[in-house]
Amino acid sequence: MTTQDAKTRFVAEEKRQRGGFGLGFYARYFRSMRGLALFGPPLFFLTVVDTFFANGFRWLVALRAEGCTGQLCETRPSFEVALRRGIESLSEPRYLWMLGCWIFAGIFIRAVNWTGALGFLSNGGRALHDDMVDSLSRVRVSFFDENPTGRIVRRFSGDYSQLKHEIPNYVIDIITSVLELAWVLVLVLLQAPLAALACFPCGFFYFRIQSLYKPASRETQRLSKILETPVWSLFTESVAGYQTIRAYGRAERFTRQLDAHVRRAAYGALAQSRLTRWLNVRLKLTSELFGLSVALFICWSCASGRMGVGTAGFLMSLTIGLDVTMQWLTRTLSLIEGTMVSLERILEYRDLPHEATPAVAKGVLETAAVRDLVLENLVASYRADLPLVLKGASGTLRAGRRVGIIGKTGAGKSTLFQAFYRMLHVHSGRILYGGIDLADLDIREARRLFGIVPQEPHVFSGTLRFNLDRLGEHTDERLWDVLRRASLETFVKNLPGGLDAPVYERGANFSVGERQLLCLARAALLKAPVMLMDEPTSSVDKDTDILITESARTLFAGRTLCIIAHRLETVLSCDEVFLIDDGRVVCQGAPAEVTETFLKRFEGARVEDALS
């Protein structure tokens, strides 16, 4: 794809980061934890103690088996000699009680440590999730058009699941494995200093293997995420539109597309599996070489009398466990490198660019009456890098009048409504309400100037009361008054529960006309001085069209009413009409004059045909 093609595409291409994750990236993860300074140090101390208990148990058993006689005590540090003699002096029952208490304390500390650490790290994941939700709620509306639903759903499903459940486990495993390796190194240095020399070449090979594996694993994980997104997008789109797909007999085509996407996603998973196998073979070889070095030194020490059988068994158990620890640590480091891609994607959505919210004129709505809405040579596009959709639109919507907007499909009628809501990128020009530029208002205040009745009626799962008054600001008397003026009072009274009657998903238990009247009533409860109606009767029959039109006239009396019309009767009933073509207001005036101009532009076509 060329750079020019990428700029003109409305659906944005999903970003794919490259390169490794520095310490700063991991620091951002830990800084997201709430109460890090308070809970971090105690949890780290518990982890240190937890790893000591596991190795300490084997050491205590080794000291008891050897005791403190002859050369075994002459060359040992004083604290170890005192410990050997103390353990040797214990009777068998007391020694068993000591080991039992040690095991119980170790289990208790591990339980507390893992519960606390997992809860603390998972809470950080929830905090990031909340930040992502907050960021997404304040992003520009066109973002949802530029990004497929599956791409957004993936952030809140697979990526969040890894952030909350997998990454905390990996972090704990890494810290625990590092501390266990540190304890092994300390104990080997104390008991067999010469054997510790094998750590240097083995460590070199270990980090060399890591340096080769981690970049490949990380990039493969990133590629897998990119390949998985089309699967989710196509699946969610197919579920939403399955009726249309089946009606046109295209189910097989969509099945083939989904199968192709799944196959491509499987390539990434297969590559990751092969990389893990490559890593395990080389780690096994490295750890076995270290174990061989320690075993040779132990054999020589035991033969010369410098080491007892207890210490020899203890060191051998450490080296055998070292194999598993090294493999687990490397595997976990690689896995966290891959799963950190999920954190990377979540941080991307947490830091989405928000809509600008200048607030230089707060409180205008509370004191302003219905005023003129003026367009001054408005030039705008959906994004800064996309073609213009409004190309110098100018006109005046006079206060308290019914204004019809007509034009061919794609002329810019609905786009004009988006400009009122500040959903477009404005290159030049202004929208003035009572002489105040909407760009100078806080975006929430600016949008409160407008109420809208969309072309497709939107209702929410819940109750009828919730759909009318989502914030609980109005009394029952006010709700019933609005329903009466919207011609819904009798219908609602006959429902079981009245205002508390259930509304199913997408209003499945209401007809299209009833849903549209409900949207009218909801909009009427707003204090917005300008009401926008985007072809609200396009999906209903003529009788319902008349009912909705008359209800709108009653509900929105005294307000500026702006209607995108698709029927001649609707146009002729307005006070004045705007004719829009190619992103410009080409004519504004009385309905009869604008209709005549409209028919001439389209060579005598019927108004209904030209509008569609």
Side-chain angles (χ1 to χ4, degrees), residues 232-247:
W232 285 82
S233 296
L234 183 61
F235 181 76
T236 53
E237 291 166 4
S238 300
V239 170
Y242 78 98
Q243 293 176 329
T244 304
I245 294 171
R246 293 182 63 183

Side-chain angles (χ1 to χ4, degrees), residues 511-588:
S511 69
V512 176
E514 291 164 350
R515 294 202 299 268
Q516 196 61 276
L517 289 171
L518 182 60
C519 290
L520 277 174
R522 181 172 60 202
L525 289 169
L526 302 175
K527 299 178 181 178
V530 181
M531 300 304 303
L532 310 176
M533 298 180 69
D534 187 0
E535 297 188 62
T537 60
S538 61
S539 301
V540 298
D541 57 71
K542 192 170 183 178
D543 292 338
T544 308
D545 182 357
I546 296 173
L547 180 61
I548 291 174
T549 302
E550 292 302 320
S551 297
R553 191 189 299 273
T554 303
L555 287 167
F556 305 137
R559 309 189 199 185
T560 304
L561 184 58
C562 188
I563 307 171
I564 294 178
H566 74 288
R567 287 192 174 99
L568 179 60
E569 293 82 357
T570 307
V571 174
L572 296 177
S573 66
C574 294
D575 298 321
E576 58 182 339
V577 177
F578 280 34
L579 173 58
I580 295 181
D581 188 25
D582 194 26
R584 298 179 178 89
V585 180
V586 297
C587 183
Q588 175 183 0

Side-chain angles (χ1 to χ4, degrees), residues 35-113:
L36 178 62
L38 178 63
F39 296 104
L43 289 174
F44 180 76
F45 175 75
L46 280 176
T47 306
V48 174
V49 175
D50 177 27
T51 53
F52 169 76
F53 265 80
N55 293 314
F57 176 80
R58 289 181 287 184
W59 193 28
L60 292 175
V61 173
L63 295 180
R64 174 75 175 189
E66 288 185 356
C68 188
T69 58
Q71 190 176 359
L72 294 177
C73 278
E74 293 175 359
T75 59
R76 312 314 300 167
S78 58
F79 79 90
E80 184 180 337
V81 173
L83 184 59
R84 284 173 179 267
R85 289 175 177 168
I87 292 176
E88 188 179 20
S89 65
L90 291 174
S91 62
E92 196 73 21
R94 289 189 176 183
Y95 177 69
L96 293 176
W97 270 105
M98 183 191 73
L99 292 182
C101 292
W102 187 276
I103 293 172
F104 177 79
I107 293 173
F108 177 76
I109 291 174
R110 172 154 295 190
V112 172
N113 177 42

Side-chain angles (χ1 to χ4, degrees), residues 482-526:
V482 168
L483 290 173
R484 177 182 54 78
R485 290 190 287 150
S487 305
L488 283 175
E489 182 180 21
T490 303
F491 169 74
V492 174
K493 284 183 176 179
N494 291 331
L495 291 175
L499 289 174
D500 295 315
V503 178
Y504 299 161
E505 185 177 2
R506 299 181 182 179
N509 54 332
F510 293 90
S511 69
V512 176
E514 291 164 350
R515 294 202 299 268
Q516 196 61 276
L517 289 171
L518 182 60
C519 290
L520 277 174
R522 181 172 60 202
L525 289 169
L526 302 175

Side-chain angles (χ1 to χ4, degrees), residues 250-260:
R250 300 295 183 182
E252 185 178 351
R253 176 184 174 186
F254 276 81
T255 301
R256 288 197 303 268
Q257 289 182 356
L258 185 61
D259 181 67

Side-chain angles (χ1 to χ4, degrees), residues 5 198 590:
D5 292 336

Side-chain angles (χ1 to χ4, degrees), residues 338-357:
T339 51
M340 277 295 174
V341 174
S342 296
L343 174 62
E344 179 182 61
R345 288 156 59 86
I346 286 175
L347 290 176
E348 177 191 346
Y349 269 45
R350 190 191 69 169
D351 301 327
L352 291 172
H354 299 154
E355 294 175 307
T357 57

